[in-house]
Amino acid sequence: MRKCWLRLAPVVLALVLPAASGWAQNQSPDHRVDPAVNKPVDDEGHAWWQHAVFYEIYPRSFADSNNDGVGDIPGITSKLDYLRWLGVDAIWIAPMFPSPEVDWGYDVSDYYNVNPDYGTLKDMDALVAQGKQRDIRVLLDFVLTYTSDQNKWFQEAMSSRTNPKRDWYIWREGKGAGAEQPPNNWTSNFGGSAWKHDAASGEWYYHYFYPPQPNLNWRNPEVEKNMFDVTRWWYERGIAGFRLDAVDVMFVDSRFQDNPVVGNEKNAFGDPVEHEINDKNQPELHGVLQRLRKVADEHNAVLIGETWTNDIDQLKRYYGKHSDEVTMPMDFMFTMVNKLSPPDFRKQIDWVDGSGGWPVYVLSNHDIQRVYDRYGDGVHNDQIAKLMASLYLTLRGTAVMYYGEEIGMENNDPKRPEDVKDSRGRVGWPKDKGRDGERTPMQWSAEANAGFAVTAPWLPVDERYKTYNVSSEKSDSKSILNYYRQLLTLRHTNKALLDGKYVALNENDSNVLAYARSYKGQNVVVVLNMSGVAQKVKLNLAAKGVEARSAKTLLSSFGAPERVSLNEISVEAFGAWIGETE
Ligand code: NOJ
């Protein structure tokens, strides 16, 4: 199935659950300590990132300090107190490097600088320093698979067939009598052939995404050396790690064989659907990631991987046999469950939790439709936002939030093709409207432009901003924001939520997803009613070896009583209840 960085079809893949394997037990806990903030690991041997909540910031849309309608680094710094108040431990900033913005920063023209729209290196240093004071680490987005065609490396590579940097990218002769056809049938994830003809040299270069994003040739050791040096340089500036962009397409088949075509189907761009066996997931990528991890380890840094996969063996490989590859391969599988389905979520959780690595849960990001409308039924969206927060923030593992989820931001998709900013939406319109909708400005207040900027922002603010904004929600005890904050406090302070094992409960219930987090006799129980009618739930804890009849409520989205009987927990439609057994 072709990977898509966009709205994923509401397909739930049938997954084969892994049998408990020796591999899991071989994993050693991470004992490193980050000296920068002098935070020791806990009794369980957990490192800081295992208990952390990460928060993705889309820099163009988060906070605008100079009122030019575009977010920036000083803007982020000015919001660190808010993030601390909320309970965020680390931020991951989507690309903030100089870029011609063909793919909004995912086309980097200089890895050693800051996009002038966003500020300067000094601003970055200030952000890191201010973050440190508040115990918030800063991670960057490492676009390592390709550069911008404006990057000086590619400019040199283009200059002639014999330029020393030529082989830093992937070049081939075309096919056909006059070499006028692309070297093979690989298609770009953003439509059309994945090869672009260079008239000057007569060769074709490879780009998995847009043509101005030429793929680097990671088989060339100089590429590895130079890209690893980029990370060292940033670590030395105090960066706590990287999110690794699109790692699965770092390598292509060295024989450049065609991909098999699947049936007669066409995708949103009108291209044939291919089985991507030759342009994706080539085995060499794991060696590079392991070496990259070594560099990260030398700097006490972490790596989050954009590792879309629905294959358990692949996920395990990303962790590395000895936990020596990607620190946190993001599990995007929740994003494949696009309906409120306890059986489907249960299956995903079992899969990830049983993989042997430390789970990483993500519900939305800058490529995925927001939770508010993805799961919302149009009537109970606020309740559903709280319900979904209660899911990914109470599971065993690290959670990665996306800015604005905590205030119930919804997608604000473009209405007319001429308004589309995401090139993908321009190419795919109307079938694929692009990703602008999930990237709109953060809503800070009820003032004009949601308090984001005085000038019109680069993307229009969601019109619901007068109600859904940080300032108004802060003063409403029942808001989504205050619910998130309570949830994050609970998650950071409750030992069972920090370290407890995940135990599935009432596994045959198709309306309610229930589970416990158990730690040395302490049990936190989470009951999530994913249906539109109130439910009375009898929890069968005895079957899991827990003897308890009642529980005290720790948090609920609907005002549950202080104590409940485990024989009958009443949970409102789309309600979430979290309690601790007594
Ligand atoms: C992954 C990023 O998340 C996405 O936004 C981008 O378009 C693709 N990489 C291609 O650059």
Side-chain angles (χ1 to χ4, degrees), residues 5 103 106 143 146 190 209-210 213 243 245-246 306 365-367 435 439:
W5 267 269
D103 190 16
Y106 285 96
V143 189
Y146 38 89
F190 291 154
F209 294 98
Y210 296 121
Q213 293 172 295
R243 175 256 194 191
D245 178 69
E306 194 200 13
N365 71 16
H366 63 282
D367 295 326
R435 299 160 290 183
R439 299 171 175 182

Side-chain angles (χ1 to χ4, degrees), residues 361-566:
Y361 291 108
V362 181
L363 272 194
S364 71
N365 71 16
H366 63 282
D367 295 326
I368 303 164
Q369 188 186 23
R370 284 192 178 272
V371 163
Y372 199 85
D373 9 35
R374 182 143 48 93
Y375 299 101
D377 65 351
V379 179
H380 303 92
N381 291 26
D382 286 16
Q383 289 94 316
I384 292 170
K386 293 178 185 170
L387 177 79
M388 296 311 288
S390 312
L391 169 62
Y392 78 119
L393 293 168
T394 60
L395 287 168
R396 187 182 77 93
T398 298
V400 185
M401 292 172 60
Y402 183 47
Y403 83 93
E405 289 291 302
E406 75 273 23
I407 53 170
M409 276 175 69
E410 72 177 354
N411 261 63
N412 188 18
D413 292 327
K415 316 278 176 299
R416 307 174 311 171
E418 57 270 35
D419 296 336
V420 178
K421 297 278 196 305
D422 177 12
S423 317
R424 179 156 183 154
R426 290 202 207 117
V427 186
W429 190 277
K431 276 196 188 153
D432 185 337
K433 294 187 175 156
R435 299 160 290 183
D436 293 351
E438 53 260 32
R439 299 171 175 182
T440 58
M442 176 70 177
Q443 292 151 208
W444 293 106
S445 73
E447 287 161 34
N449 297 324
F452 173 80
V454 176
T455 327
W458 78 291
L459 282 177
V461 171
D462 169 14
E463 57 197 21
R464 297 150 58 255
Y465 76 88
K466 291 219 161 125
T467 316
Y468 295 87
N469 66 68
V470 171
S471 171
S472 312
E473 291 195 41
K474 257 190 175 176
S475 51
D476 170 4
S477 63
K478 295 206 163 58
S479 66
I480 299 173
L481 178 60
N482 272 311
Y483 189 78
Y484 254 92
R485 183 165 183 247
Q486 290 174 71
L487 203 46
L488 291 186
T489 305
L490 191 59
R491 181 192 161 91
H492 280 115
T493 50
N494 184 295
K495 195 70 182 152
L497 284 180
L498 285 170
D499 290 328
K501 68 172 192 284
Y502 165 82
V503 183
L505 300 173
N506 294 25
E507 284 149 284
N508 294 323
D509 194 323
S510 57
N511 293 311
V512 177
L513 179 66
Y515 49 88
R517 297 286 314 281
S518 297
Y519 180 79
K520 296 185 179 166
Q522 185 187 350
N523 300 291
V524 166
V525 180
V526 180
V527 180
L528 306 173
N529 180 2
M530 296 197 161
S531 78
V533 282
Q535 301 282 341
K536 286 194 190 314
V537 182
K538 176 177 167 33
L539 283 181
N540 192 358
L541 278 162
K544 303 289 174 170
V546 175
E547 294 306 329
R549 289 174 182 207
S550 63
K552 64 170 190 288
T553 300
L554 296 174
L555 182 64
S556 85
S557 62
F558 55 90
E562 261 175 49
R563 291 216 137 57
V564 302
S565 157
L566 292 169

